[in-house]
Amino acid sequence: LNIFVTILNMNDNSPVFKETNLTRVIPEDTKVNTTIVAREDLRASDADLDTIFYELSTTVLGTDGYFAIKGVNNPEIYLQKALDYEKFKLTTLVLYARDRPVGSNDATNTATATINVFIEQADTKSPWFLPCTFINTDHSICISSPYIGRVNISEMSTEPLTLEPGPIYAIDPDYTLNEKIVYSIVGGNTDKVFSVDADTGNLTMNKAATSPDRYLLQVMATQVNNIQKYSIVSVEIKVINKSDFAPYFESRIYNGTVLVGLAPRSFVFQAGETSRPLMITAADDDFPNV
């Protein structure tokens, strides 16, 4: 009597990852579809020789959708959406390996692997002139206002010019890199009246302005390591007549009279003269004929 015995393989083994904890460091400007973790580093084995089904999730709020796997049977992780260092700097991914499809009614064994992904800031932004105003909620775009200054006609200042709202100053918004910035005047400098210090941004005069006009300078801030990373700001310099005297009131005390019950915006009259409106006048000796 020949008896044939067939041994059925029970699903009594869980999938096993080669490594259960991995770390990857990637630059912020990594291109979409770039492989982050290779299939060989993530593939799980199963002593039961079952087909392995994979699923990827993240444990960090706000980082969904950035990373994905190639397929349900291919655990290779790739970048699915462009990164932004300002939004998040790290995330933790969890890769599940199951020996049955998701939703199966059969008993399923599961293994997990954790992948920590750290984002390195990349040189993605051009310099910002300060002060500037953010126009979006993630603070990735900052708009600068023009600088404004004044010089006296036919007079050359030997000190850096005082500007509003402050001195010319730019920063690298990729703050962990903080690349060196240099300054130059690229427009509006008629007759080469002004110079800008390449390192400090201080604006000085080469010679006096000879006409009562204005200069609308274009000042550029450029990263030393990459001349394609630059920004330009307007600097308006008004040429005015020199003021030697401060304005002053022609009288130290002015006396007026009002009547009880007058309506708002009614005239105040000179004290003792109910028909002559009170006038407060000032003078400036820089303009003696005015």
Side-chain angles (χ1 to χ4, degrees):
L1 177 64
N2 294 322
I3 300 175
F4 296 95
V5 178
T6 301
I7 300 174
L8 300 177
N9 188 14
M10 292 182 61
N11 184 21
D12 55 354
N13 292 284
S14 296
V16 176
F17 283 105
K18 183 170 64 174
E19 293 184 68
T20 58
N21 201 304
L22 298 91
T23 297
R24 293 293 185 270
V25 180
I26 61 174
E28 176 188 11
D29 58 354
T30 299
K31 294 185 179 301
V32 172
N33 294 324
T34 298
T35 295
I36 305 303
V37 187
R39 178 178 182 176
E40 292 72 24
D41 297 329
L42 291 172
R43 188 165 46 193
S45 60
D46 189 338
D48 297 320
L49 303 180
D50 291 320
T51 300
I52 305 298
F53 300 87
Y54 298 95
E55 182 183 6
L56 186 69
S57 67
T58 179
T59 63
V60 179
L61 187 66
T63 63
D64 290 334
Y66 284 89
F67 301 93
I69 55 176
K70 291 287 187 178
V72 68
N73 300 123
N74 182 354
E76 179 177 307
I77 298 176
Y78 69 99
L79 182 64
Q80 186 172 240
K81 188 166 66 172
L83 297 169
D84 186 343
Y85 187 81
E86 303 299 328
K87 291 183 178 179
F88 70 96
K89 301 168 180 56
L90 62 92
T91 188
T92 299
L93 308 175
V94 178
L95 181 65
Y96 297 89
R98 299 183 177 91
D99 54 14
R100 293 291 183 272
V102 174
S104 172
N105 294 323
D106 295 334
T108 303
N109 297 305
T110 304
T112 60
T114 301
I115 303 96
N116 297 298
V117 181
F118 293 88
I119 314 301
E120 283 186 337
Q121 189 167 36
D123 191 6
T124 60
K125 298 182 179 69
S126 298
W128 289 345
F129 282 98
L130 299 182
C132 64
T133 303
F134 292 107
I135 64 172
N136 54 352
T137 56
D138 61 3
H139 290 188
S140 60
I141 300 176
C142 202
I143 303 299
S144 304
S145 299
Y147 295 95
I148 299 174
R150 295 171 179 81
V151 297
N152 294 324
I153 191 170
S154 302
E155 183 178 297
M156 189 184 87
S157 173
T158 58
E159 298 295 325
L161 301 184
T162 300
L163 304 175
E164 297 176 357
I168 296 172
Y169 180 59
I171 62 167
D172 179 5
D174 299 311
Y175 56 88
T176 63
L177 304 177
N178 194 27
E179 299 292 350
K180 180 177 174 57
I181 291 172
V182 293
Y183 304 89
S184 59
I185 300 176
V186 295
N189 194 15
T190 306
D191 298 329
K192 307 297 182 185
V193 173
F194 302 97
S195 292
V196 66
D197 188 286
D199 294 319
T200 67
N202 285 336
L203 191 67
T204 55
M205 299 185 73
N206 299 320
K207 54 187 176 182
T210 57
S211 61
D213 202 348
R214 67 168 186 161
Y215 293 82
L216 193 59
L217 307 177
Q218 301 295 311
V219 175
M220 182 166 68
T222 309
Q223 288 185 196
V224 171
N225 71 322
N226 185 351
I227 62 173
Q228 294 183 348
K229 291 287 191 303
Y230 68 89
S231 294
I232 295 177
V233 72
S234 296
V235 182
E236 181 182 3
I237 304 297
K238 299 177 181 179
V239 182
I240 61 175
N241 290 314
K242 183 178 180 181
S243 178
D244 294 317
F245 303 97
Y248 58 90
F249 289 105
E250 295 181 325
S251 175
R252 293 182 63 248
I253 299 175
Y254 292 85
N255 295 310
T257 300
V258 294
L259 300 175
V260 175
L262 282 179
R265 305 182 67 84
S266 297
F267 281 117
V268 175
F269 294 97
Q270 294 277 6
E273 300 183 39
T274 56
S275 62
R276 183 181 174 192
L278 176 65
M279 297 184 64
I280 299 174
T281 58
D284 188 333
D285 291 339
D286 286 312
F287 306 95
N289 298 322
V290 178

